Amino acid sequence: MSESDGIVFLLDVDNTLLDNDRVTDDLRRHLEREFGFVNSQRYWTIFEKLRAELGYTDYLGALQRYRLGAMDEPQLLLMSSFLADYPFADRLYPGALEVIEHLRQWGLPVILSDGDVVFQPRKVQRSGLWDAVDGHVLIYIHKEQMLDAVEQRYPARHYVMVDDKLRILAAMKKIWDYRLTTVFPRQGHYALDPGNTVAYPPADLTVEQIGDLLHVDFSGLLDAAGAGAVS
């Protein structure tokens, strides 16, 4: 694949294009309704422990661990269906798909997400994001550690990373430096946590919501890449 003359726009999924906090809230209510508060809390304890181990969220993996202590609960099969059939398209942020089309004026939109190998791809597919980026989807365990692989698959003169986590943006900026413009949508609990916002340097561009990018002109980005500026 030859180097792109334009920009490769790398787009996170959870709480960047899709309101994953609402997905979690829906799952929490479902668990409490079907299994009760105590069992729901047990699931989320397992979920958080697994996230600490893996470095990403694994809803189905947590369900597997939960099942080890609840082999006699047939309702667990329905819980897996709830996750697999969840209407993720209804949880896209307003303007998410339009932003992807907007970015095509200057480069190639690519989904770059963390996650497991089963549930995260299904989320991307069922939300409509897979088709929106024509199948240009990369899912890693720690995406900020996979930039060589990203660059090999999608070489470009300049990259733009859109992510709700300043930690990820800062880590990628350290590696790609002036070749990367970072965009921080202030959405979701990570982005709105004051502890996260003071712990890392600000992004090159901060927007209140992903739809705000519809009003951003990236036409001068390549010429200004050395200065890290966005018009």
Side-chain angles (χ1 to χ4, degrees), residues 30-187:
H30 174 77
L31 286 172
E32 290 184 9
R33 182 174 62 251
E34 297 296 327
F35 301 101
F37 178 78
V38 173
N39 288 328
S40 174
Q41 288 298 102
R42 177 171 171 264
Y43 171 84
W44 291 112
T45 299
I46 294 171
F47 176 87
E48 293 298 338
K49 182 179 180 180
L50 188 59
R51 174 159 58 182
E53 292 176 10
L54 299 176
Y56 61 87
T57 59
D58 188 354
Y59 293 91
L60 293 179
L63 179 59
Q64 286 284 78
R65 288 196 180 184
Y66 179 96
R67 180 173 182 261
L68 293 177
M71 296 294 287
D72 61 342
E73 292 189 20
Q75 301 100 314
L76 285 173
L77 301 177
L78 296 179
M79 179 178 162
S80 63
S81 297
F82 176 87
L83 289 169
D85 298 333
Y86 187 88
F88 290 104
D90 295 340
R91 293 295 177 254
L92 290 176
Y93 283 115
L97 298 180
E98 291 81 359
V99 164
I100 291 174
E101 287 305 308
H102 177 68
L103 298 178
R104 289 186 189 277
Q105 299 176 75
W106 303 286
L108 179 68
V110 176
I111 294 293
L112 177 60
S113 175
D114 293 331
D116 70 287
V117 73
V118 176
F119 186 64
Q120 194 68 7
R122 184 166 181 83
K123 179 190 297 182
V124 176
Q125 290 173 330
R126 287 186 58 82
S127 65
L129 293 172
W130 193 289
D131 289 339
V133 297
D134 300 322
H136 296 292
V137 176
L138 300 175
I139 298 175
Y140 297 116
I141 296 176
H142 299 289
K143 61 191 174 193
E144 72 276 17
Q145 299 176 12
M146 300 299 296
L147 299 192
D148 286 344
V150 173
E151 190 169 358
Q152 183 176 8
R153 184 173 290 272
Y154 296 105
R157 288 174 56 200
H158 196 74
Y159 295 90
V160 175
M161 182 71 214
V162 185
D163 200 296
D164 67 293
K165 297 182 182 66
L166 285 173
R167 175 185 63 83
I168 297 292
L169 296 175
M172 293 178 66
K173 192 74 170 182
K174 280 186 177 180
I175 298 171
W176 272 342
D177 197 15
Y178 65 90
R179 296 184 60 207
L180 176 69
T181 294
T182 55
V183 179
F184 175 52
R186 295 184 72 253
Q187 303 170 153

Side-chain angles (χ1 to χ4, degrees), residues 198-218:
V198 302
Y200 302 99
D204 296 318
L205 174 65
T206 296
V207 294
E208 292 303 310
Q209 53 193 8
I210 192 67
D212 291 344
L213 291 184
L214 290 171
H215 308 296
V216 176
D217 182 359
F218 289 95

Side-chain angles (χ1 to χ4, degrees), residues 16-33:
T16 297
L17 296 171
L18 184 146
D19 190 345
N20 200 63
D21 286 350
R22 289 190 66 187
V23 176
T24 301
D25 288 343
D26 287 345
L27 177 58
R28 192 180 304 275
R29 284 191 292 270
H30 174 77
L31 286 172
E32 290 184 9
R33 182 174 62 251

